[in-house]
Amino acid sequence: MSSPAPYRVLFVCLGNICRSPAAEIIFNAVAAEEGLTALVQADSCGTASYHTGSRPDRRMLSALERAGYSYGGHRARTFRRADFSEFDLIVPQDEYNEQDILSLSRNSADAARVRGMWQWFAENERERSVPDPYYGGAEGFDAVVALLTRSMRKLVAELKDKLIQA
Ligand code: 4NP
């Protein structure tokens, strides 16, 4: 019997050098801790193309390293319409990314795959964005890693229920 196709998750931000590559790295680490590595597959991209081909921002890689995560070699790419067919879940990091992606959706099935990262924030976190750390200091990058780690535990727990009961 062949194993089922992995559930595919795409994290999206503006430049694909700070928030979404961090989300991808943290998702993969949390999924591995939960024994889901064979069942899920993650990628990340940006809505803008300025950084296409670049490695994640060094400040983000340092923050990830401080939190114990390691970088697997991602290079930035831009969101494309075909991603709606290639991913089961598309996770924008803020409402601007969400609007940009939804403006490219072809139908309601495409739009239904889009769920903002804030859906997995704690109840008392009312913001609807992972704050963009690009123009700030190191503490902003550490805060993004902490927020994504908390949120990813909830997202991965939800997927574990869905994929293991399926
Ligand atoms: P990201 O952060 O969307 O989290 O990758 C940014 C990266 C680049 C720029 C802004 C935000 N930029 O203006 O170049």
Side-chain angles (χ1 to χ4, degrees):
M1 210 172 77
S2 63
S3 45
Y7 185 89
R8 293 156 304 176
V9 185
L10 180 63
F11 296 100
V12 187
C13 62
L14 177 65
N16 193 211
I17 56 169
C18 298
R19 293 165 294 172
S20 64
E24 178 188 344
I25 287 166
I26 294 169
F27 176 86
N28 282 333
V30 175
E33 270 169 33
E34 294 296 325
L36 293 187
T37 299
L39 299 181
V40 295
Q41 205 172 315
D43 191 12
S44 65
C45 68
T47 55
S49 57
Y50 345 111
H51 295 284
T52 295
S54 300
R55 292 169 189 274
D57 190 291
R58 278 169 204 276
R59 297 166 296 170
M60 184 49 89
L61 292 178
S62 301
L64 287 163
E65 203 175 297
R66 283 194 288 281
Y69 296 106
S70 50
Y71 165 58
H74 180 79
R75 297 299 181 122
R77 74 165 178 91
T78 312
F79 183 81
R80 49 183 181 252
R81 256 201 186 100
D83 287 322
F84 285 115
S85 309
E86 289 171 18
F87 291 88
D88 300 292
L89 176 64
I90 298 175
V91 185
Q93 302 296 292
D94 68 32
E95 289 183 291
Y96 298 107
N97 315 145
E98 181 188 45
Q99 278 165 24
D100 288 340
I101 295 166
L102 289 176
S103 73
L104 293 170
S105 63
R106 301 160 298 190
N107 49 46
S108 57
D110 283 355
R113 288 167 194 252
V114 180
R115 293 177 68 194
M117 194 74 236
W118 52 93
Q119 311 243 337
W120 297 281
F121 286 1
E123 311 254 321
N124 61 352
E125 286 171 319
R126 286 203 215 96
E127 287 215 37
R128 290 169 64 86
S129 74
V130 177
D132 183 350
Y134 190 71
Y135 294 104
E139 66 291 346
F141 288 84
D142 289 330
V144 167
V145 171
L147 174 60
L148 287 173
T149 298
R150 289 196 295 278
S151 309
M152 225 51 91
R153 291 207 181 99
K154 292 178 76 172
L155 167 55
V156 169
E158 184 184 309
L159 292 184
K160 190 172 184 180
D161 279 352
K162 178 186 171 73
L163 298 173
I164 291 185
Q165 280 170 15

